[in-house]
Amino acid sequence: MPDDSNGSLTDELAGLDFAAVSPEEFARIVKGLSGRELAEVMRGELRTRVIGEVFGRMRQQFRPEAAGRLNALIRWKITGSEELVYETLVADGTCAVTEGRSEAEPRTTLVMGDADFLKLVSGNGNPVTMFMMRKLKVAGDVGLASGLTRYFDIPKA
């Protein structure tokens, strides 16, 4: 998305109804933004809306046939202006997402910055490369973390 002199990129994206943006369109938007632009977008109320929408769609993107009998709690920590925590519970062929940290012990915890989170969930970032470059930190079951993408329909830009 070009940034023109009449309005900022953040203002342009703030006007979007993220609930109406398809996963593929979201992937194209993220792919078209530089790291600096992603950082600009991921500030304030817009950051909360974008991350909330991503986690809100996780249940629809879940592939129960791929998860099979997997039973695991995955904790997501997204760092940035403030740390946001979400948890994904995969159990009995279902996926439940909650905001905040529970008392339960996660099987794996993923920690990453805002821009890297957007790249990962939009199919624009390779999780193995991100891990090797320390842009994605994993605590707990690294094997589970490395296979998470197969349990969700990740959009392609």
Side-chain angles (χ1 to χ4, degrees), residues 26-95:
F26 178 73
R28 281 191 300 279
I29 291 169
V30 171
K31 186 176 187 174
L33 299 176
S34 69
R36 182 189 60 76
E37 289 170 324
L38 285 172
E40 177 189 332
V41 168
M42 295 304 282
R43 289 195 197 123
E45 187 269 336
L46 185 55
R47 175 183 189 249
T48 305
R49 279 179 51 210
V50 169
I51 291 174
E53 187 61 37
V54 168
F55 281 104
R57 291 181 179 197
M58 209 170 261
R59 283 187 304 277
Q60 292 99 320
Q61 303 296 114
F62 180 64
R63 299 177 57 223
E65 70 285 355
R69 296 164 57 118
L70 176 67
N71 189 340
L73 178 66
I74 299 105
R75 183 170 292 148
W76 304 77
K77 290 184 182 180
I78 299 121
T79 60
S81 54
E82 66 177 271
E83 183 176 275
L84 291 177
V85 176
Y86 280 81
E87 293 182 340
T88 307
L89 176 63
V90 175
D92 304 317
T94 65
C95 175

Side-chain angles (χ1 to χ4, degrees), residues 106-117:
R107 187 155 149 197
T108 194
T109 299
L110 307 171
V111 182
M112 69 205 85
D114 292 328
D116 294 313
F117 172 74

